[in-house]
Amino acid sequence: MDLFSCLSPFVFSSFASGSSGNCYYVGKQDEGLLVDVGINALQITKALTKVDIPMSRIRAILITHDHIDHVKGLEVLTKSYPIPIYAHSDCLQGILDGKVTKLVDPELFHEIEPMQPFEICGITIEPFPVMHDGRGAMGYHFNYEGHTLTIATDIGMLDKVVKEQIKRADNIVIEANYDKEMLEKGNYPFILKQRISGPFGHLSNDESARFVAEVYHPGIKNIMLCHLSENNNTPEQAMQCIYKHFRMKHVHPDVNTSIFPLPRHRGTGFIYL
Ligand SMILES: [Zn+2]
Ligand SMILES: [Zn+2]
């Protein structure tokens, strides 16, 4: 058996992750979809070239919510490449109301409903609602030939629905936005600190690490920490926090489980799911 035949046919790649822009690729090695377009079209084209996928092989764009760091490249990208856009109807309205996205062609829109699965290039996609102050905010669970991935970003609180969707995946992209102490001691205005740490804001390192340690099992292949704050977190803090919670729960992650933060601006290459 050669190396490539043992690799999973289902891949993930992060092109950017964090409050300055988010964009992920989910799919096969030759076709798939984008989740969020929070970086510009040129950056996406370059990132796709690095993983050897032409834009013509992107079958759909899924949007998590209408915040600028998730949609700002959408208008320019879809002007050149009219790729179908899938999102909650509230999010699609938010895109049309957005300053930098108001000229996105509504003909490309496909409304999707939480907990109503659909399929794109053989991948089953199940959107689920998340608590966040963006319009129509949703996470996504993917299943391709039994390989599973849940993307849970921009979440104020891990409620029952989100927990279930994370538990059913062997690959997890979960937000670890801020270190509690850095946020408290930092110079953000009080109102912004309250928004970030509130039930419709973002997940702290502690919140996501505690949950991941609680549900960890050796079948989990990748735990990817996403949307790290530039000012209130560091990749080291996020990783230390997850290991702290593993120790507290006496959990020893399996050698086949990779745990890592997604870089803010750099691409990751293919991660086999
Ligand atoms: Zn965001
Ligand atoms: Zn957001």
Side-chain angles (χ1 to χ4, degrees):
M1 204 194 265
D2 63 39
L3 174 67
F4 288 102
S5 55
C6 354
L7 294 174
S8 167
F10 192 35
V11 295
F12 171 84
S13 186
S14 171
F15 299 159
S17 183
S19 43
S20 39
N22 298 274
C23 184
Y24 305 130
Y25 172 83
V26 177
K28 308 174 205 172
Q29 291 176 46
D30 59 351
E31 63 170 354
L33 42 99
L34 295 177
V35 177
D36 289 334
V37 182
I39 52 176
N40 70 44
L42 184 67
Q43 288 171 298
I44 294 173
T45 313
K46 279 187 182 163
L48 281 171
T49 309
K50 279 192 186 158
V51 289
D52 211 15
I53 295 176
M55 195 67 81
S56 59
R57 309 290 289 184
I58 299 298
R59 308 300 186 201
I61 295 169
L62 308 184
I63 302 291
T64 57
H65 62 297
D66 67 337
H67 281 161
I68 192 86
D69 54 317
H70 300 261
V71 296
K72 67 172 172 263
L74 198 57
E75 190 179 300
V76 174
L77 181 77
T78 52
K79 216 167 257 175
S80 311
Y81 305 95
I83 303 165
I85 300 163
Y86 292 74
H88 190 281
S89 55
D90 294 347
C91 173
L92 294 171
Q93 189 53 52
I95 290 169
L96 291 180
D97 295 339
K99 249 191 212 150
V100 299
T101 49
K102 60 178 185 287
L103 298 179
V104 174
D105 182 1
E107 290 282 316
L108 298 172
F109 288 176
H110 293 256
E111 284 181 22
I112 50 175
E113 298 271 338
M115 317 314 273
Q116 298 293 317
F118 59 101
E119 207 180 288
I120 295 170
C121 44
I123 303 162
T124 305
I125 303 157
E126 187 169 326
F128 57 92
V130 300
M131 288 177 68
H132 188 58
D133 51 12
R135 280 201 253 175
M138 295 199 294
Y140 292 100
H141 175 79
F142 301 87
N143 187 327
Y144 179 63
E145 295 182 349
H147 304 270
T148 50
L149 164 72
T150 291
I151 296 182
T153 186
D154 295 64
I155 296 177
M157 219 179 81
L158 283 167
D159 61 14
K160 208 171 152 224
V161 174
V162 181
K163 285 180 170 177
E164 283 310 312
Q165 295 289 345
I166 294 172
K167 275 200 229 168
R168 62 198 281 237
D170 294 335
N171 297 276
I172 301 163
V173 172
I174 185 169
E175 175 171 45
N177 182 257
Y178 65 94
D179 171 79
K180 214 167 160 253
E181 211 180 308
M182 281 177 82
L183 179 69
E184 273 164 16
K185 290 187 176 159
N187 57 6
Y188 277 15
F190 178 69
I191 190 95
L192 183 56
K193 288 182 183 182
Q194 277 208 315
R195 186 234 142 203
I196 291 170
S197 59
F200 293 95
H202 293 277
L203 283 184
S204 69
N205 289 344
D206 259 314
E207 287 168 307
S208 49
R210 188 180 306 120
F211 177 64
V212 167
E214 203 177 290
V215 299
Y216 176 77
H217 59 86
I220 295 182
K221 287 173 81 176
N222 293 289
I223 299 168
M224 299 170 263
L225 306 176
C226 74
H227 211 286
L228 271 65
S229 163
E230 193 133 33
N231 301 311
N232 302 309
N233 207 356
T234 64
E236 294 73 26
Q237 291 277 12
M239 288 301 289
Q240 274 172 24
C241 188
I242 202 152
Y243 284 120
K244 179 185 84 183
H245 281 277
F246 273 47
R247 276 197 307 276
M248 278 159 54
K249 286 248 177 299
H250 307 286
V251 174
H252 301 280
D254 190 84
V255 285
N256 294 315
T257 304
S258 303
I259 308 171
F260 52 97
L262 296 177
R264 273 190 206 102
H265 305 291
R266 248 181 324 107
T268 55
F270 276 159
I271 291 154
Y272 295 87
L273 305 178

